[in-house]
Amino acid sequence: MLPLRQIKPKTARTKRFLDNKGPQINENLRTTLFLKYTTCSDILSLVLTDLHALKRPLAIKFTKKNDIHPFEDPSSLEFFSEKNDASLMVYASHSKKRPHCLTFARFFDFKVMDMLELLVDPETMRTLAQFKNAKAAVGLKPLLSFSGSAFESPTANAYTLAKSLFLDMFKGSEVKEVDVEGLQYMVHFSVDEAENEQAKPVIHLRTYLLRTKKSGSNLPKVELEEMGPRIDFRVGRIKEADADMWKESMRKPKGQEAKTKKNVETDVIGDKVGRIHLGKQDLGQLQTRKMKGLKRSRDVVGAEDVVGGAEEEGNNLVEEAAKRVRVEA
């Protein structure tokens, strides 16, 4: 991994500009850049238009074609990323070997971190305009859902990378609370089950409007209406992230870690669990329950007192007799 370039500012204005582009405690919203290769099919142009419509306003689309080969030389993509302050990129290209190909790239410090190729199926592709219904407003956060065992694989593969890229692309800003009225549409990703090792499952992208209707109770009835676009992807080449770059990108800044409390933990469900340490207990001072059956009865106590008094009186008589004997002698 090449060392990251360091630029020393010469003026206060340049310093403010570099500080704004540099690492932040709270990251900026992820902007996506849409580019085209010198040969781009009409299908890919429609796909880019629809993805750009879903991503707005955090999207920049270029119409000029560029002669770039991301997997051979990504330096041009890194230039566009730094110039437009974009951390995500969708690059459309069409060739005989890889028809209708979309390359999703993710950047860290304006360097390519990982990439994934997804080939669009032109037979099943449907655009936003082909669905004659209302569309979601611009800038709303969508609901994201993933279904399929390939997305939850314990080992990293193309499908886990696709899930990570789609989450970064569509999740928008981080919010603690969401107004229910703002949940207007959902983006659903599903993957088929693998029938054999050679054929890779297809990824299906579907977008639905959320319609709420009266249900006769406090909770409304929710129905889904397909809004578009409808796209099916076949997985192509991938470029995994470098271990050092991935570790650096996942590093949390100081001050963001939650303060840990001694003997207080959070379980998997999210509940707080506390642990209490007690000193050594003296069981001899333990207060037990008093039972009537363990008490001595009055008859037993009186008999013992009588026997004890008789023994004491007999001992006194013996001592007096011994004294008389000594005196007479």
Side-chain angles (χ1 to χ4, degrees):
M1 175 181 171
L2 297 176
L4 301 177
R5 184 179 59 173
Q6 300 292 336
I7 301 177
K8 294 183 179 180
K10 296 182 180 180
T11 61
R13 181 180 179 182
T14 306
K15 186 177 184 303
R16 290 194 300 269
F17 176 77
L18 293 177
D19 291 342
N20 186 38
K21 292 184 65 176
Q24 307 288 334
I25 295 179
N26 297 319
E27 290 186 354
N28 299 330
L29 300 180
R30 295 180 179 273
T31 303
T32 304
L33 189 62
F34 295 87
L35 297 176
K36 291 183 179 180
Y37 183 53
T38 53
T39 55
C40 181
S41 63
D42 295 337
I43 296 294
L44 287 182
S45 298
L46 295 174
V47 171
L48 287 183
T49 302
D50 290 349
L51 293 179
H52 176 264
L54 292 179
K55 181 63 179 176
R56 289 184 304 170
L58 302 174
I60 303 174
K61 183 183 177 184
F62 288 173
T63 57
K64 185 178 179 180
K65 297 182 179 181
N66 304 274
D67 187 9
I68 302 174
H69 300 274
F71 285 86
E72 284 75 22
D73 184 14
S75 58
S76 298
L77 297 182
E78 295 171 354
F79 169 78
F80 281 111
S81 173
E82 185 174 5
K83 198 71 174 177
N84 298 277
D85 194 13
S87 58
L88 295 171
M89 187 176 296
V90 180
Y91 185 70
S93 61
H94 178 70
S95 63
K96 184 177 180 181
K97 188 176 182 180
R98 295 181 179 87
H100 313 294
C101 178
L102 288 179
T103 302
F104 291 80
R106 181 164 47 187
F107 299 88
F108 173 70
D109 200 9
F110 310 116
K111 301 294 181 182
V112 173
M113 186 167 65
D114 47 15
M115 290 188 294
L116 171 66
E117 276 186 351
L118 296 178
L119 308 178
V120 177
D121 185 0
E123 299 296 331
T124 59
M125 192 270 173
R126 299 291 184 272
T127 62
L128 272 167
Q130 290 179 323
F131 293 90
K132 304 300 181 180
N133 53 9
K135 309 301 177 184
V138 177
L140 295 179
K141 285 179 66 68
L143 289 173
L144 299 178
S145 65
F146 294 85
S147 60
S149 59
F151 287 134
E152 305 298 333
S153 176
T155 59
N157 53 31
Y159 298 95
T160 57
L161 178 58
K163 180 180 179 180
S164 178
L165 287 171
F166 286 138
L167 282 174
D168 279 350
M169 183 173 179
F170 290 106
K171 71 177 183 179
S173 59
E174 296 286 346
V175 294
K176 296 182 178 179
E177 297 180 355
V178 179
D179 189 1
V180 179
E181 296 295 332
L183 300 176
Q184 297 185 5
Y185 73 106
M186 178 182 72
V187 182
H188 178 66
F189 301 93
S190 61
V191 60
D192 301 332
E193 297 298 330
E195 298 179 356
N196 52 60
E197 296 181 357
Q198 296 179 355
K200 295 182 178 180
V202 178
I203 299 176
H204 307 279
L205 184 152
R206 302 290 185 268
T207 308
Y208 300 96
L209 286 172
L210 301 178
R211 301 294 190 184
T212 55
K213 298 182 179 181
K214 294 182 179 180
S215 61
S217 61
N218 294 332
L219 298 177
K221 180 182 179 181
V222 180
E223 294 183 355
L224 299 181
E225 180 183 351
E226 191 168 0
M227 180 185 71
R230 180 193 300 173
I231 310 173
D232 293 337
F233 296 108
R234 291 185 295 107
V235 177
R237 294 178 295 177
I238 65 171
K239 177 189 177 299
E240 296 182 351
D242 182 74
D244 295 336
M245 182 180 287
W246 181 263
K247 182 179 179 180
E248 182 66 18
S249 65
M250 298 298 291
R251 184 172 60 88
K252 294 183 180 180
K254 294 182 179 179
Q256 292 293 98
E257 299 87 355
K259 295 183 178 180
T260 58
K261 295 183 179 180
K262 190 176 181 181
N263 299 325
V264 177
E265 299 176 353
T266 304
D267 58 7
V268 180
I269 305 176
D271 298 333
K272 287 186 177 181
V273 179
R275 186 178 302 169
I276 301 176
H277 296 275
L278 300 176
K280 186 178 180 180
Q281 295 183 356
D282 186 4
L283 299 180
Q285 302 296 328
L286 184 65
Q287 179 67 34
T288 59
R289 182 180 178 185
K290 297 181 179 180
M291 297 179 63
K292 295 182 178 180
L294 299 179
K295 293 183 179 180
R296 293 183 300 178
S297 62
R298 295 182 178 180
D299 298 338
V300 176
V301 174
E304 291 180 355
D305 293 341
V306 171
V307 173
E311 291 179 354
E312 186 179 355
E313 185 178 355
N315 293 333
N316 293 335
L317 294 175
V318 172
E319 290 180 0
E320 291 180 359
K323 289 180 180 179
R324 292 174 183 176
V325 172
R326 286 194 297 270
V327 170
E328 292 176 356

